[in-house]
Each structure stands twice: as C-alpha cells, then as structure tokens.
Amino acid sequence: MTVTDTTGSVARDRPPPDPTADPTADRPDLAGPAMADEFARLFDEHAVPMHRYLARRVGAEQAHDLVSETFLTAFRQRDTYNPATAAAKAWLYGIATNLARRYVRQEVRGLRATARAGRREPDDLAAHDGRVAEQVDAQQLARRIAPAIADLSEGDRDVLLLTSWAGLSTVEVADALGIPVGTVRSRLHRVRRQLRILTTPEEAPDHD
C-alpha cells in the first residue's frame, strides 16, 4: 500500500506517547516524517485479519470496500490519533466498526448465514497468542447463536464481535469504541447472560 500525503500539513499539537504505556503495543507516530511507511506497515499487518472480521459482519465483497475505506479514513483523520491513549490496532478497528454500522442489514444477513452454515472453525485466536478464556468463550458463543446476535443492541453486538471475531482484548475494545473497560466487561457479561440459555440444553422432564 502506498500512502501519499496530499494535505501538506502535519499535526504537532499532541502529547508524546505515554512512556508508561505497554511497550509492546503498536503506537506509531502517525504525524512524523515516517508517516507513509507507518501506514503501509499498518495496512500490511492489519488488512487481512480486518477483512476476515468485516466479512463475517457484512460479507466478503463489502468487506473489501470497508477495509480500503477504513485505511483511507484513518489517513485522513491521522491527526486525531494519539498514541498515548490507544494502540493503532484499536483505533483502526474502531474506525472499521463505525463504518460497518452503515451496513446493519448486511450484517444481520451474514449472521443468519453463519447460523445456517453451522460450521465450526478452529479456535485460531486461542492458538495464536493464548488470550484469556473470556475471548475463547465469546468466540464459541458467537458461532453457536448467530441468529440471536443479530437481535442484540448495536453496542452489545459490537463488543461481542470485536472480542470474538476480531480478537481484541477488553482494553482494545474499550479503546476502539471509546468506552470504559468496565463497560466492555459489563456488556460481555450481560450478553452472555442473555444468550447462555440458547447454549444450555433443556433439562428433560422427570417421569415418575
């Protein structure tokens, strides 16, 4: 991906990255002289998994356009990114999720198609980096009860699918959606409570 700065201006009024932030987090300086290289690297790193995430929400064809639109929007809004407050991954997925909200009908159709397919996929997320059990739990839950996910509120659905299908941590989801971590966790808890009944077999009646 080649990114060209067509504005001729660079924002310089932001605070520097927080030195206490996670040193392993991806927090590039998108206002610096290496801006084009950083965007190319971000595209190479995140475009494919982002497409998988979006394809499951709105379909593969629309996902291609949304990935491109996400990175174009990110480039145009690069002066709003503050590496002191969020990793680039969370920022990009926040943009992608906002754009995907315009395609709610496609998302609902995709969720119902997932249910019809009834296909179990490998838990790549857990195998990749051993994330906490809540993500694996959310992933399995999302696959099994896709029709009910379509009926969730927008906020609850975003939290569940960013956790389960995009593989974001609760902190990353909070950064992506601009909400507190506690809100992410409470939404996940509420969604599980609402949907768990669909994954629990009914007890057989007693026969005396």
Side-chain angles (χ1 to χ4, degrees), residues 17-141:
D18 182 357
T20 65
D22 180 2
T24 65
D26 189 9
R27 299 170 183 265
D29 180 5
L30 298 183
M35 169 189 60
D37 290 340
E38 289 290 2
F39 268 98
R41 180 186 62 78
L42 289 173
F43 184 87
D44 290 341
E45 182 174 347
H46 297 297
V48 171
M50 181 180 289
H51 181 272
R52 286 197 297 266
Y53 161 67
L54 290 170
R56 298 181 74 175
R57 296 194 69 154
V58 300
E61 184 175 352
Q62 190 62 59
H64 285 296
D65 294 337
L66 283 178
V67 170
S68 297
E69 191 173 355
T70 294
F71 281 90
L72 180 59
T73 300
F75 181 72
R76 289 172 174 168
Q77 298 180 0
R78 61 192 181 278
D79 59 334
T80 68
Y81 172 66
N82 186 347
T85 60
K89 177 182 178 181
W91 180 63
L92 289 170
Y93 274 91
I95 294 172
T97 300
N98 284 331
L99 292 173
R101 286 172 180 164
R102 298 184 307 185
Y103 302 92
V104 173
R105 291 179 182 175
Q106 292 95 318
E107 177 176 37
V108 170
R109 284 199 296 268
L111 286 164
R112 300 199 184 282
T114 296
R116 287 194 299 271
R119 197 158 44 87
R120 298 285 298 179
E121 299 176 3
D123 287 331
D124 293 334
L125 175 64
H128 176 63
D129 59 4
R131 286 201 185 277
V132 292
E134 66 178 8
Q135 291 182 352
V136 177
D137 180 58
Q139 184 180 60
Q140 293 171 344
L141 186 62

Side-chain angles (χ1 to χ4, degrees), residues 179-196:
I179 58 178
V181 175
T183 300
V184 173
R185 290 172 178 157
S186 65
R187 286 183 181 178
L188 281 174
H189 178 74
R190 180 172 65 249
V191 168
R192 291 195 188 100
R193 187 175 66 242
Q194 290 173 343
L195 303 181
R196 186 73 67 186

